[in-house]
Amino acid sequence: MLQHNKLAIFALLAALPLALLVALASGPVSVDLVDAVSQGWYSQSSDAVIFWQLRLPRAILAILVGAALGMGGAAMQGMLRNPLAEPALLGVSSGAALAAVILLYYGAAWKSGWLLPAIAIAGAFGAVAAVWLLAGRGASAGRLVLAGVAINAFLSALIALALNYAPSMFAMQEVVFWLMGSLANRGWDQLLLALPFISVGVICLFLARNYLRALSLGEDTAASLGFHSRIFPLLILFGIASSVGAAVAVAGTIGFVGLVVPHLMRPLVHQDPAQLLWISGAAGALLLLMADILVINFVGAQELRIGAVTAFLGAPFFFWLIVSARRGQWL
Amino acid sequence: MNEVDRKLTVDCESLELTRGLKNVLREINCTFKPSELTAVIGPNGAGKSSLLQCIAGVLTPESGQITFDGEKAHKLPATQRARLGAYLPQSEMPAWSLSGANLVALGLLPWGRPRDRETRVRRAMAMVDAQAFADRPVTELSGGELRRVQLARLLVGQAPLLIADEPTAALDIRHQLQLMQNFRRLADMGKTVILALHDLNLAARFCDRVLLLQEGVLLAGGTPQAVFTPALIGEAYGVSCKFHWRDGIAEFVPLEVL
């Protein structure tokens, strides 16, 4: 069993660079990778520009966003002690989405490459802060979820309202596509904007890892083990708002990664909520990279949105979850 | 200072705690000394768990203070306090299906990742006869088996203060006795042990001191012989009863509801 787990983790980590290579080699134009790399960053040849300015940032962004979503999901499930939790419950995604939608609504999004993600990150922080304030100081996990559901419902209503009164079909289409999530046409601008937020978020979650462990035994026991019940939940909320907020801000809402990945990885780390953070980060990165490879290689009139791909992967997972719960084999 | 050999005296001075509109604890004054096994008894809702949670640092009393060897407990760094006192709540459902050994190892969190972790976990599990559950997922254990794993988690850190809320609930007679013998032995080794108990016979037989709570008030405190009288127990629980004492062992006979 132990060997089996280690092998699976090793395979997962080994698959990541392989997937990265495939992602870099994928695209509508065939590019000589070795040639492009050797020409360097400043080369003006089309191969080098495609590699350095389009494919590389997109692939790295897929890894970063996937890792943030996977890790955020693991932290969320650990904090709420519930395998069905995901970061979207805190309003991170809908907060970012509403901010983005308002910007798209006024057609101001394209004035600069970083304006929309920056506003969206602020939206994510705002939504999480609202959930935290609504739940009250030292709120139990149950009350946090309830507050999250309430804030989410309100934000969704506002998004629906914005769609309802969209100034043009074009604006509406843009909003809808943004909500489906995509990594297309993202470059270094978005990557460099998201990177510090995701890093700060990851550090916060790292600092809270032992709290998540202690929390396996409940809030009372965690408190008796020396984990302050006010500081640590706040650290996790901030970490999720920062990392997942930045991920959603640059890539749009991408569902199910935060839910499915920690679930699948949990048996591999003997259900340890702290190790689950890392392995979920790695697996989330791999999943999103592979989903993006699928998106890039999909031939069709319209671009396939990555949020649609992950939802297609996620929904059957839910079916399987219910069926296995019915058999009494809860993961 | 090494926590393993440390002796700890816990003082509670006029503790007051309200939850909602209810005064859960009123003007509680008591001392818990090393080498003493204290039972906190009283009817449901008397404030036993709240008192234990205040001492364990889970709840903060509104007024009054708790001192560890004269130092204010709430001024201690959280990790330091956790190293001094280990606490097992009345019900503690593990959220994830950890293995027994991994659950026990959580008791070492206040110490980081000590090098002799596995030895300590194994030793603690052996103390409560739980070695067989080391590799089993805790969600597959029976209530009593899980309780023993949780007790090993309480003991693994070798904290000088051990607090357990109804540790004998859900255990069969053999494991109740074994557990109380263990706590007795730990107290004899110098630990300060505080247990909330419902079983008055066990309390009378194993404990040095008994605190009787009723509606948040400390009704009586002293040796089992002093507290276990039909008058006091009758007043606290609202029952008529008899005690037969034989060689320091009490036989408690509840008669009827008053």
Side-chain angles (χ1 to χ4, degrees):
Chain A
M1 182 65 185
L2 195 73
Q3 256 2 58
H4 182 80
N5 285 351
K6 284 212 173 119
L7 208 67
I9 293 172
F10 178 77
L12 182 87
L13 296 179
L16 202 52
L18 280 181
L20 179 63
L21 270 182
V22 176
L24 292 175
S26 301
V29 189
S30 122
V31 170
D32 186 341
L33 284 186
V34 181
D35 200 34
V37 173
S38 62
Q39 282 173 19
W41 174 269
Y42 295 104
S43 167
Q44 295 299 312
S45 82
S46 68
D47 273 15
V49 169
I50 289 174
F51 176 80
W52 289 107
Q53 303 304 329
L54 296 176
R55 291 190 184 175
L56 189 62
R58 178 172 180 164
I60 297 176
L61 201 61
I63 290 175
L64 271 181
V65 168
L69 293 175
M71 208 171 171
M76 196 63 194
Q77 295 184 1
M79 183 171 72
L80 298 183
R81 295 165 38 90
N82 189 328
L84 292 178
E86 63 160 336
L89 261 181
L90 283 179
V92 189
S93 311
S94 45
L98 180 65
V101 164
I102 290 172
L103 208 66
L104 291 169
Y105 186 93
Y106 288 110
W110 308 117
K111 286 183 180 153
S112 114
W114 57 263
L115 182 62
L116 186 141
I119 297 280
I121 291 175
F125 272 105
V128 174
V131 167
W132 182 68
L133 286 174
L134 186 64
R137 274 168 71 108
S140 65
R143 210 154 77 213
L144 264 177
V145 173
L146 214 55
V149 169
I151 295 287
N152 262 326
F154 183 61
L155 293 174
S156 305
L158 289 176
I159 292 172
L161 199 68
L163 281 176
N164 199 147
Y165 290 107
S168 68
M169 285 305 281
F170 185 69
M172 186 161 159
Q173 192 187 21
E174 238 183 337
V175 168
V176 171
F177 278 155
W178 192 88
L179 289 176
M180 288 163 83
S182 170
L183 289 168
N185 308 319
R186 307 299 198 270
W188 291 106
D189 278 356
Q190 286 87 355
L191 182 64
L192 291 179
L193 181 80
L195 187 63
F197 285 97
I198 292 180
S199 308
V200 167
V202 166
I203 291 169
C204 288
L205 298 181
F206 174 76
L207 291 175
R209 69 197 184 286
N210 277 333
Y211 170 68
L212 290 175
R213 281 200 173 109
L215 208 53
S216 326
L217 301 179
E219 287 166 16
D220 286 355
T221 305
S224 78
L225 287 170
F227 295 95
H228 205 292
S229 60
R230 285 202 181 126
I231 297 165
F232 283 98
L234 205 57
L235 195 65
I236 294 178
L237 286 186
F238 184 83
I240 290 176
S242 183
S243 60
V244 179
V248 175
V250 292
T253 47
I254 299 173
F256 291 102
V257 177
L259 175 65
V260 175
V261 165
H263 232 298
L264 289 176
M265 294 300 115
R266 191 164 284 119
L268 292 187
V269 291
H270 305 286
Q271 316 250 339
D272 176 5
Q275 286 177 44
L276 186 63
L277 290 174
W278 304 123
I279 197 77
S280 296
L286 180 64
L287 177 65
L288 210 62
L289 199 55
M290 294 203 306
D292 200 38
I293 292 171
L294 206 70
V295 167
I296 296 168
N297 289 306
F298 180 81
V299 186
Q302 265 289 358
E303 180 208 339
L304 181 61
R305 306 282 156 169
I306 198 163
V309 175
T310 57
F312 256 112
L313 297 173
F317 171 78
F318 255 129
F319 302 157
W320 170 70
L321 205 67
I322 294 165
V323 171
S324 66
R326 244 174 34 186
R327 282 202 230 105
Q329 307 171 317
W330 196 258
L331 243 184
Chain B
M1 182 168 176
N2 188 358
E3 287 89 6
V4 176
D5 306 316
R6 176 151 175 192
K7 309 257 187 288
L8 189 74
T9 303
V10 179
D11 252 311
C12 300
E13 286 166 35
S14 44
L15 292 188
E16 295 270 350
L17 181 74
T18 47
R19 281 179 132 177
L21 293 174
K22 197 173 170 234
N23 283 326
V24 196
L25 295 177
R26 296 184 221 177
E27 217 24 54
I28 302 279
N29 289 293
C30 50
T31 303
F32 303 93
K33 295 199 187 90
S35 306
E36 241 181 29
L37 179 49
T38 307
V40 180
I41 64 164
N44 300 128
K48 302 186 292 293
S49 298
S50 300
L51 177 60
L52 264 52
Q53 286 181 335
C54 284
I55 299 169
V58 177
L59 294 177
T60 314
E62 262 107 58
S63 66
Q65 64 177 12
I66 297 166
T67 57
F68 287 0
D69 281 342
E71 270 184 278
K72 286 178 186 158
H74 67 272
K75 292 268 170 71
L76 290 172
T79 315
Q80 177 64 16
R81 184 171 182 173
R83 287 180 180 191
L84 290 175
Y87 164 69
L88 177 63
Q90 197 169 352
S91 77
E92 179 185 272
M93 284 314 292
W96 315 110
S97 196
L98 304 165
S99 72
N102 283 347
L103 191 152
V104 174
L106 292 178
L108 290 171
L109 276 177
W111 285 267
R113 282 175 89 83
R115 232 175 293 137
D116 56 347
R117 189 157 152 260
E118 277 175 34
T119 334
R120 288 172 77 169
V121 166
R122 226 176 301 126
R123 205 166 46 203
M125 294 190 91
M127 271 182 91
V128 289
D129 207 6
Q131 305 100 307
F133 317 130
D135 297 319
R136 298 235 331 249
V138 287
T139 41
E140 289 173 14
L141 299 177
S142 79
E145 291 170 340
L146 175 63
R147 202 66 182 153
R148 273 144 68 196
V149 172
Q150 293 169 337
L151 282 160
R153 196 274 294 160
L154 176 80
L155 302 178
V156 72
Q158 295 175 283
L161 168 66
L162 301 171
I163 307 163
D165 201 344
E166 295 187 29
T168 55
L171 292 184
D172 59 41
I173 304 166
R174 177 194 155 83
H175 287 105
Q176 285 188 14
L177 275 177
Q178 189 193 40
L179 178 81
M180 291 307 291
Q181 283 173 355
N182 267 322
F183 278 125
R184 182 66 260 169
R185 201 159 44 85
L186 287 160
D188 291 340
M189 283 161 59
K191 307 277 184 205
T192 312
V193 186
I194 311 173
L195 309 176
L197 288 176
H198 267 305
D199 189 321
L200 303 186
N201 289 318
L202 284 178
R205 174 150 172 216
F206 288 99
C207 298
D208 304 300
R209 244 159 45 87
V210 179
L211 298 182
L212 175 59
L213 287 177
Q214 189 206 20
E215 294 192 1
V217 178
L218 187 58
L219 208 60
T223 61
Q225 279 84 353
V227 177
F228 289 140
T229 62
L232 274 171
I233 297 297
E235 186 193 339
Y237 289 86
V239 294
S240 61
C241 57
K242 278 197 291 198
F243 283 94
H244 300 296
W245 288 92
R246 222 169 279 130
D247 306 327
I249 296 176
E251 197 186 320
F252 171 64
V253 187
L255 295 172
E256 54 188 32
V257 175
L258 290 174

